[in-house]
Amino acid sequence: MRIILAAALLAGSASLTLSPATAQTIPAPILTKPDARDVWTHAEPQVARVTHVALDLDVDFASKTLSGSAVLDILAAPGATQVVLDVNDMDISAVTDASGKALKWTVGAKDSANADIGSALTVTLAGATRITITYRSKPGATALQWLPPEMTFGKKKPFLFSQGQAILNRSWVPTQDSPGIRQTWEATLRVPGDMVAVMSAEKLSGDKGEPLPDGRRSFRFRMDKPVPPYLIAFAVGDLKFKPLGPRSGVWTEAPMLDKAAREFVDVEKMIDAASKLYGPYRWGRYDMLVLPPAFPYGGMENPMLTFLTPTIVTGDRSNTDVVAHELAHSWSGNLVTNATWSDSWLNEGFTTYFENRIMESLYGKEQAATYADLDWDVMRREIAAAGGQTGAATRLNGEPGAGEVDYTKGSNFLRMIEYTVGRDKWDAYLTSYFDRHAFQPQTTAGFLADLRERLLKGQPELELKLQLDRWAYGAGLPDNAVRVHSATLAKVDTRLAAFNAGGPASAVQPTGWTTQEWLRFLNGIDRRQTPARLKELDETLGLSASGNAYIQSAWFELAIANHYDPAVPYLRGYLSRIGRGLLVYPLYRGLMKQGDWGQPKARDFFAEAKPTYHPSTAAGIERIVAGQE
């Protein structure tokens, strides 16, 4: 039985079904069909795969490096002589077996097509099932952002955080960095004595860590559930904690702590609502970390410790859908994971749908409809920008790399199934799906096969009506897509139409508007405007100086399109202060479209702001200002 199970875990088995309890304690199977081949890893997991990672690292702010060791447990096929790992710009000094005996190793050439793929680290096993890699990360490690004190909320101490999705963790963790190769892990981090370390795992050493003789502190963590390696995450800073309930709390710097706690006060209700929808929350705690503004995303679903941008802390709780989204990932993405990044819609599309259901459970159908209606707008814009009904980039299963289409078209796919088969049947199926595939990888083909077997079997007319393959593999938007209309946004549309018809900005009267209402209005304004009209808008509604980062970004897009110079100083400050890709990428793209007026500004602003951006954000903007997209 043991030999058969090991072979199944290495090679994958369509018939292998593990109970959720068992799936937490043994390695997840490796999927080996062609559609599960990950082109973004050097690993050969069907030959030898990593099952557990133990990190022991010193955090050095002076050199901006992590140094220490990673101990990897290896499950190898009979006769396997080597294991292949992923690394990217890492200084490796030694590789040994469990007894300390040196093992032969080589680092291959760096991938020339995609710098983030890095290099293959090939280790000759010589019978070893556990290897120790001694190494140091580089100061420019792509997953790590080292922030000086002036870029933090407290302005007194530096800050460090990691961002691993999709394939950046190989710059600080030498492992098989593929979402289909799930691994348990543990870590010890040694940090300056006046700082706190947090990780996406169970804390073993308490909130303040353990004092060391040299004045530093040691923090220990453990993740006993197999997770995709991009979910290994940490942060180090002048962090404080405030509990929000028996399972939840918020970490951040002191100046942001009370604001964040007020914003996220409903998180326990969210956990309850999500669990009622699709089965138990399996991760123990759900804490949140609010990072400095340089954090590149709205949120990152790191298990037990969601990372969040401060841009969602707007005081009115209108952007807590981001929290619901990251919580939903605890089922879709973290529990059942896309085996490759070509199927990232299984992660983001499922989660966007689930997020909307959580918001409906807590706040009612109209608020959920508001988010869904806006998502429809985003989906149509993104599909049009990606080539419309024939654009290859509009396919759900396609080239690796998540875009907004994965979120919006993916969620609409699931909403269409819900509307077609009925909510009760759909919810029962999804609950079963998450339970049966817990802690395992999945592909689009695997999901469709499961759907046909468990929900649609013996109903060919229903399957034909759903157009499953058209949704999953076809370009554009199928004709059975479901649009949800929001009465709230319809009222905004009335004021928008009046303004576009020449009405005064004073008649807009946005008092009490949520972020979503603001975005509907600003994104719907006719793109061609006179300087006088833009001045009226700006002065009446306070757009350039708004304290809401979403509102400012949408306004700056309009200002850029019309060469509105009075907004430029505010735009410069915004781009140096906000590092969230969703909000800054459109602004750089807009500037680059404006020829001699905008392109010099884009290059100038980027040169000034680049040190404030996460490496992945900086790389994306660099491509924009170089005219490569």
Side-chain angles (χ1 to χ4, degrees):
M1 178 64 181
R2 189 170 187 173
I3 295 174
I4 294 172
L5 180 59
L9 295 174
L10 278 164
S13 172
S15 62
L16 179 63
T17 301
L18 305 173
S19 71
T22 303
Q24 286 187 209
T25 58
I26 65 172
I30 298 295
L31 304 183
T32 56
K33 291 183 178 180
D35 65 317
R37 179 178 175 270
D38 186 353
V39 298
W40 278 0
T41 182
H42 298 281
E44 300 171 351
Q46 71 278 14
V47 176
R49 50 85 59 95
V50 176
T51 61
H52 182 76
V53 178
L55 300 171
D56 189 273
L57 298 171
D58 293 306
V59 178
D60 187 346
F61 278 89
S63 65
K64 296 183 179 180
T65 63
L66 308 176
S67 61
S69 64
V71 179
L72 309 182
D73 289 351
I74 309 297
L75 178 63
T81 61
Q82 63 185 31
V83 63
V84 183
L85 310 172
D86 295 303
V87 294
N88 192 8
D89 283 340
M90 191 178 290
D91 286 330
I92 299 169
S93 55
V95 182
T96 63
D97 66 12
S99 67
K101 179 182 177 181
L103 297 174
K104 293 181 180 179
W105 56 277
T106 59
V107 175
K110 193 166 184 177
D111 189 282
S112 59
N114 183 342
D116 289 337
I117 293 177
S119 308
L121 169 59
T122 303
V123 178
T124 300
L125 290 171
T129 58
R130 176 172 291 174
I131 63 174
T132 299
I133 303 170
T134 305
Y135 69 100
R136 180 186 296 268
S137 69
K138 295 278 187 72
T142 53
L144 306 179
Q145 186 162 14
W146 304 80
L147 300 176
E150 57 267 25
M151 288 180 62
T152 69
F153 292 115
K155 310 296 183 185
K156 295 179 180 179
K157 297 176 185 178
F159 200 103
L160 166 63
F161 67 89
S162 70
Q163 172 54 44
Q165 194 179 31
I167 56 171
L168 302 183
N169 268 354
R170 62 191 66 182
S171 66
W172 73 279
V173 183
T175 188
Q176 293 173 322
D177 189 11
S178 171
I181 311 174
R182 301 180 73 106
Q183 303 154 31
T184 54
W185 62 275
E186 60 190 285
T188 297
L189 299 181
R190 287 174 291 279
V191 307
D194 60 349
M195 305 186 84
V196 170
V198 292
M199 293 195 84
S200 54
E202 177 189 6
K203 296 192 300 290
L204 300 179
S205 52
D207 290 351
K208 296 183 178 180
E210 299 163 347
L212 298 173
D214 62 3
R216 294 182 299 167
R217 287 188 173 273
S218 173
F219 291 82
R220 295 181 295 112
F221 306 88
R222 176 181 61 201
M223 173 53 68
D224 61 358
K225 302 169 182 63
V227 297
Y230 70 85
L231 293 177
I232 302 173
F234 77 99
V236 180
D238 187 13
L239 294 170
K240 310 297 181 185
F241 179 76
K242 189 165 189 174
L244 298 176
R247 299 163 294 184
S248 63
V250 60
W251 288 93
T252 190
E253 297 173 80
M256 178 59 72
L257 189 60
D258 288 340
K259 295 177 185 177
R262 285 193 297 270
E263 201 82 7
F264 308 145
V265 69
D266 286 340
V267 68
E268 287 284 340
K269 295 178 183 177
M270 286 186 177
I271 299 171
D272 288 338
S275 301
K276 186 176 180 180
L277 279 166
Y278 297 128
Y281 180 74
R282 303 175 192 267
W283 303 91
R285 291 195 60 80
Y286 184 77
D287 291 326
M288 293 161 288
L289 170 67
V290 178
L291 293 113
F295 184 60
Y297 298 113
M300 181 62 211
E301 62 271 18
N302 301 310
M304 304 182 71
L305 186 66
T306 278
F307 285 21
L308 294 168
T309 172
T311 62
I312 68 172
V313 182
T314 52
D316 61 0
R317 300 176 189 164
S318 65
N319 299 298
T320 55
D321 58 311
V322 176
V323 178
H325 183 93
E326 307 311 331
L327 172 64
H329 271 301
S330 300
W331 286 258
S332 49
N334 297 5
L335 193 64
V336 185
T337 307
N338 46 282
T340 78
W341 294 111
S342 295
D343 279 332
S344 56
W345 81 273
L346 291 173
N347 185 319
E348 298 298 353
F350 270 67
T351 298
T352 302
Y353 171 82
F354 192 173
E355 162 208 329
N356 194 260
R357 294 293 305 278
I358 294 172
M359 298 304 284
E360 179 183 323
S361 294
L362 286 183
Y363 306 117
K365 288 189 176 182
E366 175 53 29
Q367 187 158 335
T370 298
Y371 293 110
D373 202 344
L374 278 180
D375 280 349
W376 178 272
D377 289 347
V378 173
M379 177 178 64
R380 296 303 297 265
R381 287 197 301 270
E382 291 294 322
I383 288 176
Q389 288 298 96
T390 60
T394 66
R395 296 187 177 101
L396 293 179
N397 171 265
E399 292 298 315
E404 283 296 320
V405 170
D406 287 331
Y407 292 72
T408 54
K409 181 180 174 182
S411 62
N412 203 285
F413 182 15
L414 303 192
R415 180 175 291 113
M416 179 277 299
I417 299 175
E418 175 209 326
Y419 276 54
T420 305
V421 306
R423 176 170 282 192
D424 290 345
K425 289 182 179 179
W426 174 239
D427 284 352
Y429 167 76
L430 267 189
T431 301
S432 171
Y433 174 81
F434 289 130
D435 191 56
R436 288 180 288 105
H437 296 280
F439 304 104
Q440 295 182 43
Q442 182 61 287
T443 63
T444 293
F447 164 64
L448 295 183
D450 190 274
L451 187 66
R452 286 170 168 133
E453 174 64 26
R454 300 280 180 165
L455 185 63
L456 308 176
K457 193 171 184 178
Q459 303 177 79
E461 292 183 0
L462 177 57
E463 181 172 335
L464 185 64
K465 185 177 181 181
L466 291 171
Q467 304 182 55
L468 298 181
D469 289 339
R470 169 82 174 82
W471 274 95
Y473 301 113
L477 188 66
D479 57 12
N480 60 347
V482 174
R483 178 170 187 178
V484 177
H485 292 275
S486 161
T488 300
L489 295 184
K491 295 176 183 177
V492 175
D493 290 342
T494 300
R495 300 186 200 183
L496 171 63
F499 179 81
N500 281 336
S506 58
V508 175
Q509 298 183 344
T511 302
W513 272 6
T514 64
T515 297
Q516 291 69 39
E517 290 168 286
W518 274 106
L519 292 180
R520 180 65 154 237
F521 177 77
L522 291 171
N523 290 333
I525 293 175
D526 292 340
R527 295 295 93 179
R528 297 294 298 272
Q529 297 291 333
T530 65
R533 190 67 158 155
L534 292 172
K535 181 180 180 182
E536 178 194 359
L537 261 179
D538 196 10
E539 293 182 351
T540 302
L541 304 182
L543 299 173
S544 290
S546 171
N548 184 312
Y550 293 86
I551 293 173
Q552 282 186 294
S553 182
W555 159 245
F556 290 141
E557 283 194 67
L558 182 63
I560 289 168
N562 291 278
H563 300 190
Y564 183 60
D565 289 314
V568 171
Y570 296 93
L571 172 63
R572 179 191 289 271
Y574 182 90
L575 291 174
S576 291
R577 186 178 75 254
I578 302 298
R580 185 179 175 187
L582 176 73
L583 301 179
V584 300
Y585 287 149
L587 305 182
Y588 281 104
R589 291 190 183 105
L591 287 168
M592 290 301 293
K593 290 178 181 177
Q594 300 307 316
D596 292 341
W597 183 88
Q599 292 182 8
K601 293 180 176 63
R603 298 186 184 101
D604 180 37
F605 295 167
F606 178 54
E608 179 179 308
K610 184 176 179 179
T612 72
Y613 294 139
H614 185 274
S616 63
T617 306
I621 297 170
E622 199 146 27
R623 288 191 294 272
I624 294 171
V625 300
Q628 296 174 357
E629 66 165 75

